[in-house]
Amino acid sequence: MRAIRRLTVRPALPGPLEGLGELAGNLRWAWHPPTQDLFAELDAGAWADSGHDPLKTLSLVPRARLEAAAADEAFVAAVEAGVADLRRYLTTDRWYQRSAARAEGPEAAAWPRAIGYLSAEFGISAALPVYSGGLGILAGDHLKAASDLGVPIVGIGLLYRHGYFRQSLDRHGWQQESYPLLDPAALPVQLLREADGTPATISLAMPGGPDMVARIWVASVGRVPLVMMDTDVKENPQHYADVTDRLYGGNAEHRLRQELLLGVGGLRALRVFCRLTGHPEPEVFHLNEGHAGFLGIERLRELSVAEDGPQLDLATALEVGRAGTVFTTHTPVPAGIDRFPRTLVEQYFATAGGVTPGVPTEHVLGLGAEDYVGGDAGVFNMAVMGFRLAQRANGVSQLHGHVSREMFNGLWSSFDEDEVPITSITNGVHAPTWVAREVLELAVARGADPEGDDTEAFWRAVQEVPDAELWAVKRRQRERLAGEARRRLRASWLQRGATEAELAWTDSVLDPDVLTIGFARRAASYKRLTLMMRDPARLKALLLDPQRPVQLVIAGKAHPADDGGKKLIQDIVRLSDDPEVRHRIVFLPDYDIAMAQPLYPGCDVWLNNPLRPYEACGTSGMKAALNGGLNLSVLDGWWDEWFDGENGWAIPSADGLDDPERRDDLEAAALYELIENEVAPRFYDADASGVPTRWTDMLRHTLLSLGPKVLASRMVRDYVRLLYSPAAGSSRALGEDHAGARSLALWKRGVREGWGAVRVEHVEGSWVGPVEHEVPEVGDRLSVRAFVALGQLDPQDVAVQLVEGTAVDSDELVDVTTTDLARAESLGSGRYRFDTEIELAHAGPFGYTVRVVPRHAALATPAELGLVTYPR
């Protein structure tokens, strides 16, 4: 029998326990063990059955138990203390407020009042399943760390009716997807309401009408509000109601509608939220991937054509928007970028009645055009639009920054790759979410402050922990993982059609005393889920070694449309079904936050073997490292910059090998060699007390060397200092009346129109030393004169630069530095002489050239306009 309607009824809490509702309503509980303990103490069974979800726990607790708890003075006092602690957390000045108060001079004026952070997914907790993988987990960790630091961020995203899919396996090991319906009433979100109590909404004009309407929901992520929209409202026809049905589902038009809602609707929802709550309007916007890029188009509409806006011309509006916008790209391969047919985008931005009425369609299309060598004129590229709408952009590791500069060099084709204006801020992970309690307690017991700003001191406290204690903690974590894996494996087999009588073997799956290797990530081809299976016989020998066995715990989802990824999962499952090895290798379906939290601490080694350099960052290994796990990884993403030879192992990669099969063979063989000859011997080499001291030394070094670096708090501080504050400074420098933006837009137009006349006509160079000799020596001075024609441009509009460096065989310059030449003489007719003198500081092949680039105080980099002139 099926219900014709479904709704969620929230429990009515007795007066003394009303604070539990406040605690359950703020997602700080997701990383605050004392709050979790309160709900477990209320009803341990309900806490377990709810999957550690406070709201669900309250709905499962019998009324009699609630009444008994309300009469328990000690429990009521604990609830009141928990509420008081939460309120202190929400109101006390933290790192951001303290740092802003200490700032002086120009820096003091550049701390943003608020930052809008847009992402298609947010991985806060399994209780709010609006995430799929790494991008969402990163966004969730960003908000949590911002909350802990007091950074005034507002998250903006979508509330999906089904979230991402739940994964199960059929009897053949093939991935099956299901999409449970999410009832907002059962989630830790609140409907935003107008003053009269009606739901707050926004709307977007759609081709042919009617408008698409979205409600606005708010989740409290500690101090950070997360504003989300959903279109499942009665005003919408079904095809618009379905826009927020599934994360990353549907065809190209469905995805385009989602991204229009996220970008255009997201800014409108944020404006409504600020109006109704009094929250400061963001002056900096952070686009987390290209999905959110349409926010920039909506800002153009606000600034240029909105009735209540300042009515700027489009060029000025673009400068205002760019100055305060940061764009982060997470994609190391062109195939991972959202690209829509140009004709499809054109339909939604028709000037009359389009999504952003008044912004010319050709202007929108130009922002996403691949109008560079190798580009496709028929597509609209969301990442390209992101770069053009943001003055500052970054990749998510040092290597990824290099890959991004290379991949998008076409947008700044006149500049060498290392000058493309894409910087790097390496991702981090939120330690309170991902670090097991026992690991945190080791440091806290030795005086470390888990909420302090000195993260290096926190991890140094681990130095004092005896080897035996460290090793005992890791064994308890392996034991917990084994229990969780057995429970999940049994449930999966029952779902696949097995009977209880067949599953006694699952009780002995995984041994807490065996070296445990974890591997969990999306089943994308470049992540090479099955590289470890390249030589099945050799893998089996490692798993079943009588003296030094290895066990593997594997998890991950394939995109529903990716049959290749599903085949990789099936291959793993078939191996793990083999009775000979099934106690040593398990595949756990439905990988999510709830599974990940016991998985990372329970693994001794974290395996990552992508095709280099296709892993943008890869934060799963960071989570393992914070729990005393050692990384065994290809030098890609974050591991490429922070592997030091003692905090794990680097799998050699056969970069540049044309034959992918041969490359996989070589790298798989290297992986087996490392496990057999280095990893396993070190793990099993124990002293008389049973402690492998060489392993614990390596574990301790990992915590000390990586602990302070891989934190989301370090990442968010980097964003504040390197991107958010400079963006706020640039935005404010343009003036509240936008006079600076008008001037900048006019200046850029003049420079672009006049650049064709800019020429380096002649360069003279000579060297002089303290004594005469035939060739220059270290310490001699190089004098350079450049004769430059600027046409109608003023010398103040440009920088004439000496570019010097090491000259390689092709006369290409590497390791370059630049020095500005000073204007020495006006030669008439727009011609000038510029001079400089430098010291020859290094021996060896040396080369130099001269170039002209635009110069303006409001430019973030010399490459911003993409204009440069060299001698012909």
Side-chain angles (χ1 to χ4, degrees), residues 550-585:
V550 171
Q551 56 196 11
L552 289 166
V553 184
I554 306 164
K557 294 179 177 180
H559 187 279
D562 182 9
D563 283 349
K566 293 180 183 180
K567 179 62 169 61
L568 295 177
I569 290 173
Q570 185 181 50
D571 290 343
I572 288 283
V573 172
R574 284 178 171 170
L575 176 63
S576 68
D577 286 350
D578 182 347
E580 186 182 6
V581 296
R582 64 187 180 187
H583 62 301
R584 289 280 188 260
I585 178 170

Side-chain angles (χ1 to χ4, degrees), residues 169-252:
L169 304 171
D170 68 13
R171 63 172 57 249
H172 305 293
W174 191 256
Q175 174 179 292
Q176 303 294 302
E177 300 93 27
S178 61
Y179 295 88
L181 181 66
L182 302 179
D183 181 359
L187 300 176
V189 298
Q190 294 290 329
L191 188 63
L192 186 66
R193 296 185 180 275
E194 297 285 352
D196 62 2
T198 58
T201 62
I202 54 99
S203 62
L204 277 71
M206 293 282 105
D211 288 0
M212 181 170 67
V213 178
R215 292 178 294 185
I216 304 171
W217 301 84
V218 182
S220 296
V221 186
R223 301 165 68 108
V224 172
L226 171 56
V227 177
M228 294 178 286
M229 298 158 286
D230 91 294
T231 58
D232 188 16
V233 296
K234 63 179 184 299
E235 295 92 335
N236 283 331
Q238 193 60 45
H239 57 292
Y240 293 158
D242 288 342
V243 165
T244 52
D245 59 350
R246 300 174 183 176
L247 176 60
Y248 302 141
N251 58 18

Side-chain angles (χ1 to χ4, degrees), residues 214-338:
R215 292 178 294 185
I216 304 171
W217 301 84
V218 182
S220 296
V221 186
R223 301 165 68 108
V224 172
L226 171 56
V227 177
M228 294 178 286
M229 298 158 286
D230 91 294
T231 58
D232 188 16
V233 296
K234 63 179 184 299
E235 295 92 335
N236 283 331
Q238 193 60 45
H239 57 292
Y240 293 158
D242 288 342
V243 165
T244 52
D245 59 350
R246 300 174 183 176
L247 176 60
Y248 302 141
N251 58 18
E253 185 164 21
H254 186 78
R255 288 286 295 276
L256 177 61
R257 288 171 177 166
Q258 286 187 335
E259 296 184 13
L260 288 167
L261 179 62
L262 176 61
V264 177
L267 184 55
R268 294 177 186 177
L270 180 60
R271 301 298 190 211
V272 174
F273 169 77
C274 292
R275 170 175 60 82
L276 292 174
T277 64
H279 193 284
E281 292 277 358
E283 54 183 331
V284 172
F285 293 91
H286 184 173
L287 311 180
N288 190 42
E289 252 308 340
H291 311 124
F294 288 122
L295 172 133
I297 309 298
E298 174 63 4
R299 292 201 76 195
L300 288 181
R301 186 198 67 81
E302 282 188 338
L303 291 163
S304 62
V305 298
E307 292 181 4
D308 55 350
Q311 304 289 306
L312 305 177
D313 64 275
L314 276 173
T316 301
L318 180 62
E319 297 307 328
V320 173
R322 290 185 74 253
T325 302
V326 172
F327 172 58
T328 298
T329 176
H330 293 260
T331 306
V333 288
I337 296 168
D338 277 344

Side-chain angles (χ1 to χ4, degrees), residues 662-729:
R662 177 63 177 156
R663 177 173 180 172
D664 283 357
D665 285 341
L666 290 173
E667 295 185 15
L671 171 60
Y672 297 138
E673 288 288 333
L674 280 169
I675 294 173
E676 183 176 5
N677 298 323
E678 296 190 36
V679 181
R682 183 171 293 231
F683 181 87
Y684 288 104
D685 181 18
D687 63 14
S689 62
V691 177
T693 53
R694 289 199 306 144
W695 187 276
T696 54
D697 286 346
M698 205 168 178
L699 184 158
R700 197 189 310 275
H701 175 71
T702 292
L703 292 172
L704 291 170
S705 66
L706 295 178
K709 295 177 181 177
V710 301
L711 299 179
S713 56
R714 184 272 313 154
M715 172 187 72
V716 172
R717 286 187 179 102
D718 285 350
Y719 273 104
V720 169
R721 292 167 174 152
L722 302 177
L723 295 176
Y724 296 161
S725 289

Side-chain angles (χ1 to χ4, degrees), residues 211-519:
D211 288 0
M212 181 170 67
V213 178
R215 292 178 294 185
I216 304 171
W217 301 84
V218 182
S220 296
V221 186
R223 301 165 68 108
V224 172
L226 171 56
V227 177
M228 294 178 286
M229 298 158 286
D230 91 294
T231 58
D232 188 16
V233 296
K234 63 179 184 299
E235 295 92 335
N236 283 331
Q238 193 60 45
H239 57 292
Y240 293 158
D242 288 342
V243 165
T244 52
D245 59 350
R246 300 174 183 176
L247 176 60
Y248 302 141
N251 58 18
E253 185 164 21
H254 186 78
R255 288 286 295 276
L256 177 61
R257 288 171 177 166
Q258 286 187 335
E259 296 184 13
L260 288 167
L261 179 62
L262 176 61
V264 177
L267 184 55
R268 294 177 186 177
L270 180 60
R271 301 298 190 211
V272 174
F273 169 77
C274 292
R275 170 175 60 82
L276 292 174
T277 64
H279 193 284
E281 292 277 358
E283 54 183 331
V284 172
F285 293 91
H286 184 173
L287 311 180
N288 190 42
E289 252 308 340
H291 311 124
F294 288 122
L295 172 133
I297 309 298
E298 174 63 4
R299 292 201 76 195
L300 288 181
R301 186 198 67 81
E302 282 188 338
L303 291 163
S304 62
V305 298
E307 292 181 4
D308 55 350
Q311 304 289 306
L312 305 177
D313 64 275
L314 276 173
T316 301
L318 180 62
E319 297 307 328
V320 173
R322 290 185 74 253
T325 302
V326 172
F327 172 58
T328 298
T329 176
H330 293 260
T331 306
V333 288
I337 296 168
D338 277 344
R339 301 162 82 227
F340 297 108
R342 179 184 170 95
T343 52
L344 177 62
V345 176
E346 188 174 16
Q347 294 174 31
Y348 282 83
F349 285 95
T351 301
V355 178
T356 53
V359 181
T361 309
E362 63 272 15
H363 192 81
V364 176
L365 295 175
L367 288 167
E370 294 186 357
D371 51 0
Y372 46 80
V373 175
D376 184 342
V379 303
F380 184 94
N381 187 310
M382 295 295 290
V384 165
M385 179 176 66
F387 286 117
R388 286 176 171 151
L389 287 170
Q391 191 176 36
R392 290 169 175 83
N394 69 287
V396 292
S397 69
Q398 293 297 319
L399 179 59
H400 179 238
H402 163 70
V403 170
S404 298
R405 289 188 290 274
E406 190 175 67
M407 188 161 68
F408 294 104
N409 205 159
L411 292 171
W412 300 272
S413 58
S414 298
F415 287 84
D416 290 345
E417 176 263 311
D418 60 351
E419 288 194 287
V420 168
I422 303 173
T423 187
S424 296
I425 292 181
T426 303
N427 284 344
V429 298
H430 185 243
T433 295
W434 299 109
V435 179
R437 286 193 193 192
E438 298 94 333
V439 176
L440 290 173
E441 289 167 358
L442 288 175
V444 172
R446 286 155 181 85
D449 180 5
E451 294 194 2
D453 292 338
D454 190 350
T455 55
E456 293 191 6
F458 180 87
W459 293 108
R460 278 199 304 272
V462 179
Q463 277 286 78
E464 302 175 20
V465 181
D467 286 350
E469 190 174 347
L470 270 179
W471 189 239
V473 165
K474 284 305 294 183
R475 191 191 185 283
R476 286 199 301 274
Q477 292 170 338
R478 283 196 299 275
E479 194 167 32
R480 185 180 301 118
L481 173 59
E484 180 71 7
R486 292 165 187 172
R487 183 186 67 80
R488 288 178 177 269
L489 190 64
R490 176 181 289 271
S492 175
W493 271 95
L494 290 172
Q495 198 168 26
R496 293 173 66 186
T499 64
E500 286 282 0
E502 300 173 77
L503 297 178
W505 63 272
T506 60
D507 292 337
S508 59
V509 163
L510 302 185
D511 183 336
D513 293 310
V514 167
L515 170 61
T516 304
I517 300 176
F519 183 101

